[in-house]
Amino acid sequence: MAIFRISGCVIDRKTRRGISGLRIEAWDKDLILDDLVGSTISDSEGTFQIEFDGSYFQEAGLNKQPDLFFKVFHKNKLFTDTKDSVLWNVKAQNTQITLELDAPSLKETEASEVRHGMVSLRSGTVPHSPFHESGRFGRIFPYLPVYENSDQFLTKLGKKGGLMDEGFEDDTAAESTTIPAGFTFFGQFIDHDITFDTTSSLERQNDPTAIRNFRTPILELDSVYGMGPEASPYLYDKNNLGKLLIGNDKNPHDLPRNSQEIALIGDPRNDENLIISQLHLAFIKFHNRVVDEVKARGFLGEAVFPEAQRLVRWHYQWIVLNEYLPLIVGQAVVDDILNNGRKFFSWQKQPFIPVEFSVAAFRLGHTQVRNRFRVNDRPESEKQLFELRVSGAVPPAQVVDWKKFFQFDSCQPPQFSKKLDAKIASVLLDLPVPIVGEDDPRRSLAIRNLFRGKSFSLPSGQAVAKAMGIKPLSDEQLGLKELGYKEEAPLWFYILKEGEVQTGGETLGEVGGRLVAEVLIGLLEGDFMSYLKIDPCWVPCLPSTKPGEFKMADLLNLAAVC
């Protein structure tokens, strides 16, 4: 007999947070008498699962596919239902739903009658569940079939010594000629600014509509500012109005830390390794310098912080649009989107983060990572990647010299990132135990990425290419036949291979470049406070090497960290 499984989440429409302790009942809608097929209680995250078989519902003695609606109870009182949004002919497989409602007030619930129309129901079998609301992930191509291949194939593809293993530790042999190594970490910094997923799993199928994004999908630096001086006062210097805290007098070249040396910042991930930690510090110091600039322009009192924050955000957004994206996708792609508009990434109310971007295309940084980095001019400063992990205060000897990571002048070239190709530095294919855990056999980052794509039911690279009107790579170009290739390739691998085939790894290719550029530009266009929305003709106004332009080197110079 067929088994039906309903998985979902109940969230507050205003806060986007899950609501716990609600009883969810699933009912089969019939012509005469509705049948209760299952019930459960939402957990601490607001998630729930109901499972039943075909014996729970019958009509005229004949088995059929159920037509489901849901009732939501609070304190044993009916709060609302979805009779007006029935899911017709639900199939015997996993179905994902999200119930949006106004968080139940005890007094309101006890005093009121049933209120219809207060629940917004979005449903569908993975992956057919696009979510066009801020606070959740979603899909650009919800209608494409799921890419399917065996775990054995994915493991063979991503394992150490496998097809994606670079196979050597000479970083100069596969360097980009255009992308400085610092942009590997700047891309990570952007990712931390717009996404924070703590609930998805490699072990189960994940519907992006049910995965909470703990970051606003906007390039607004909430990873730096937290929720602002009022709600995140521990980030701010109470003795210097409008400024953020930095390290103490003994170590001014480090992030602020508590007595246990835990960084006091808006996103703990930005203290995971030395480079991202020092980059976060650079943004703090940049903000503090801009506060001084704003005061010098005549701003006083409470007007200082919002003006400084606006300038910092706008100059950061300028760098993303005018320096980072052209390096990663090519100037022509950026210009086409700005002049002719986005073709694929759209939303109904607010921008969201598509999983084709977060789980595939924007994992491009993993192929850019070098095996070793020279941190500064000290003889012992060349470190293997995982020797850069931060475990407390950053000592002065490890303070980053940013001239090693970004282009300041032509006479002193920086280290460059690895090419945007389908090869991964060997060091990432054997992750240390502190990162993955002692009992996890998937020590390869490539394997973990491939399995994550599978857990999110991503389409194949070829399917996405066809949907975008782009000729897919040939089997010969992909080179997967020796692994038991089944005509299609995982989206993440496909995007990296496309960059390798089409540009020699200097930028992403047609599919990957378009996805990355449309999403990041879309986030700017969908943010009513971004410079691209408020004043698209705006140009940077802070001191820079070339007036009217602003690059990462200018930001670091103003921050006085180089």
Side-chain angles (χ1 to χ4, degrees), residues 15 197 200:
T15 67
D197 164 22
S200 66

Side-chain angles (χ1 to χ4, degrees), residues 499-562:
E500 177 183 321
V501 170
Q502 293 182 350
T503 76
E506 292 300 332
T507 67
L508 292 176
E510 292 179 273
V511 170
R514 191 83 194 188
L515 287 176
V516 168
E518 286 213 5
V519 171
L520 291 180
I521 293 174
L523 297 184
L524 289 174
E525 292 177 333
D527 174 13
F528 68 93
M529 295 296 288
S530 76
Y531 90 84
L532 204 56
K533 192 72 170 181
I534 292 178
D535 186 3
C537 295
W538 175 84
V539 294
C541 56
L542 294 174
S544 60
T545 303
K546 186 176 181 180
E549 293 187 2
F550 199 80
K551 297 187 175 184
M552 270 305 300
D554 296 309
L555 184 150
L556 297 167
N557 275 326
L558 276 179
V561 292
C562 56

Side-chain angles (χ1 to χ4, degrees), residues 387-550:
E387 293 175 342
L388 297 174
R389 286 179 60 80
V390 174
S391 57
V394 174
Q398 292 187 19
V399 170
V400 169
D401 178 357
W402 290 112
K403 291 183 175 64
K404 304 292 183 187
F405 291 87
F406 292 98
Q407 186 80 56
F408 284 79
D409 61 70
S410 58
C411 298
Q412 189 177 355
Q415 301 164 98
F416 284 90
S417 72
K418 304 302 282 291
K419 289 185 176 182
L420 290 162
D421 58 18
K423 297 295 184 181
I424 307 296
S426 296
V427 68
L428 292 177
L429 304 184
D430 188 19
L431 300 174
V433 169
I435 293 179
V436 298
E438 193 167 349
D439 299 326
D440 195 333
R442 287 169 295 204
R443 301 281 293 276
S444 163
L445 181 61
I447 291 176
R448 299 176 74 85
N449 282 346
L450 293 165
F451 272 76
R452 182 165 293 278
K454 182 176 182 178
S455 75
F456 275 91
S457 302
L458 292 182
S460 70
Q462 289 94 323
V464 172
K466 291 175 183 177
M468 297 174 75
I470 296 169
K471 182 180 178 181
L473 298 181
S474 67
D475 292 351
E476 290 71 24
Q477 289 171 321
L478 287 166
L480 292 176
K481 288 185 177 179
E482 61 187 82
L483 300 182
Y485 174 55
K486 294 184 178 180
E487 298 182 355
E488 294 184 326
L491 182 57
W492 176 63
F493 172 83
Y494 182 96
I495 286 170
L496 297 182
K497 193 68 177 181
E498 182 190 56
E500 177 183 321
V501 170
Q502 293 182 350
T503 76
E506 292 300 332
T507 67
L508 292 176
E510 292 179 273
V511 170
R514 191 83 194 188
L515 287 176
V516 168
E518 286 213 5
V519 171
L520 291 180
I521 293 174
L523 297 184
L524 289 174
E525 292 177 333
D527 174 13
F528 68 93
M529 295 296 288
S530 76
Y531 90 84
L532 204 56
K533 192 72 170 181
I534 292 178
D535 186 3
C537 295
W538 175 84
V539 294
C541 56
L542 294 174
S544 60
T545 303
K546 186 176 181 180
E549 293 187 2
F550 199 80

Side-chain angles (χ1 to χ4, degrees), residues 88-105:
W88 302 102
N89 297 319
V90 174
K91 296 180 180 179
Q93 52 188 323
N94 290 336
T95 297
Q96 307 282 334
I97 68 168
T98 298
L99 298 169
E100 281 188 29
L101 46 81
D102 297 323
S105 162

Side-chain angles (χ1 to χ4, degrees), residues 165-202:
D165 189 348
E166 186 179 63
F168 52 83
E169 294 192 3
D170 180 8
D171 288 319
T172 61
E175 279 185 336
S176 166
T177 62
T178 57
I179 306 176
F183 284 103
T184 304
F185 299 94
F186 184 69
Q188 184 183 18
F189 185 84
I190 294 171
D191 180 63
H192 292 178
D193 187 27
I194 59 177
T195 66
F196 195 1
D197 164 22
T198 64
T199 58
S200 66
S201 170
L202 297 179

